[in-house]
Amino acid sequence: MRNHLLAEVKALFLKEVMLEWRQKYAFNSIIVYIVSTVFVCYLSFNLRLPDAITWNALFWIILLFSAVNGISKSFQQEREGRTFFYYQLASPEAIIIAKMLYNACFMMVISLTGLLIFSLVLGNPVQDNLLFILNIVIGAIGFSSTLTMISGIASKAGNNGSLMAVMGLPVVLPLLLMLIKVSKNAMDGLARSTSVNEIVTIMAIITIVIAASVMLFPYLWRS
């Protein structure tokens, strides 16, 4: 049973990768969004680099909206006929796990690309880059795990984009606050031990969200 679930997850994950590789719609649109937003921010600061606190706030605000826009397409591109086809072939647990895994990888690429764009245009005030990158990876997993399930719920309401934003913000906000705190510690060059409690809390939230999604998604899928 376990090997069968892993095989389904692998096949569905590769399907998501192939679809994105062929279309490149979500990736290209989000990259354009990040580049244009960073450039507008740069112009707004009169061609000067922002201070560290402003840099950190802008970075996570842009990543948050990128995550909402990118992950909201998880179920929007699934037509009713294709959804019924998946229902016959794969288990709902495999579907939600594969989408979470793909969205996590997608957000990691987007986040690291966004960090590169930020560093080139607005500078890089981060002193502990390893901790900052680790925080970005954890944040990508957190955004994907929380927003994927919400995207599935929104798809049952006719893919209502406003519903995705309204339901997603209260869930993501506590996670976002801790991510900002850890990234601020990395920017200030504080000892990594000062960020352990926040990282453990974030990982606990992610674990709970993933477990709840795997348990509840089958009921949503069959409705």
Side-chain angles (χ1 to χ4, degrees):
M1 180 67 180
R2 182 179 179 182
N3 293 334
H4 182 65
L5 178 63
L6 292 176
E8 289 182 347
V9 171
K10 180 180 178 181
L12 292 169
F13 175 79
L14 293 177
K15 183 268 299 182
E16 296 285 345
V17 173
M18 291 177 62
L19 286 177
E20 180 59 34
W21 179 256
R22 291 177 181 176
Q23 300 175 356
K24 298 184 179 67
Y25 172 75
F27 181 80
N28 291 338
S29 61
I30 292 177
I31 292 299
V32 171
Y33 165 75
I34 293 176
V35 172
S36 58
T37 306
V38 170
F39 184 68
V40 170
C41 292
Y42 182 64
L43 295 178
S44 300
F45 289 109
N46 295 323
L47 307 182
R48 293 179 297 179
L49 301 181
D51 58 85
I53 296 178
T54 305
W55 189 98
N56 191 31
L58 288 174
F59 179 80
W60 285 104
I61 289 173
I62 292 175
L63 281 193
L64 173 61
F65 282 97
S66 299
V68 172
N69 291 331
I71 299 177
S72 64
K73 298 177 176 62
S74 296
F75 290 91
Q76 287 182 1
Q77 62 183 0
E78 305 291 358
R79 299 179 180 178
E80 184 176 354
R82 184 185 297 176
T83 301
F84 182 75
F85 181 67
Y86 292 156
Y87 183 84
Q88 302 296 323
L89 294 182
S91 63
E93 293 84 0
I95 293 173
I96 191 65
I97 292 174
K99 286 188 176 293
M100 283 185 177
L101 182 60
Y102 168 76
N103 286 331
C105 296
F106 178 80
M107 279 307 304
M108 287 180 194
V109 175
I110 291 295
S111 301
L112 295 176
T113 304
L115 176 60
L116 177 61
I117 296 172
F118 255 70
S119 301
L120 292 175
V121 180
L122 299 178
N124 186 357
V126 179
Q127 297 187 36
D128 191 345
N129 286 286
L130 183 60
L131 178 59
F132 194 84
I133 292 175
L134 175 63
N135 191 46
I136 288 177
V137 172
I138 295 175
I141 298 173
F143 287 152
S144 64
S145 60
T146 53
L147 295 177
T148 300
M149 184 62 182
I150 295 174
S151 176
I153 297 174
S155 68
K156 294 298 181 179
N159 287 324
N160 193 324
S162 59
L163 179 63
M164 173 78 177
V166 171
M167 294 181 61
L169 185 59
V171 178
V172 174
L173 187 58
L175 181 67
L176 181 63
L177 293 176
M178 284 183 284
L179 290 170
I180 292 176
K181 185 175 181 180
V182 174
S183 62
K184 183 62 170 58
N185 294 340
M187 297 179 73
D188 293 338
L190 301 180
R192 295 174 182 174
S193 58
T194 59
S195 304
V196 171
N197 290 336
E198 285 78 11
I199 293 177
V200 171
T201 303
I202 293 171
M203 296 303 296
I205 293 175
I206 293 174
T207 302
I208 293 172
V209 170
I210 293 176
S213 298
V214 172
M215 289 188 296
L216 297 177
F217 185 75
Y219 300 99
L220 178 68
W221 182 250
R222 296 187 181 102
S223 63

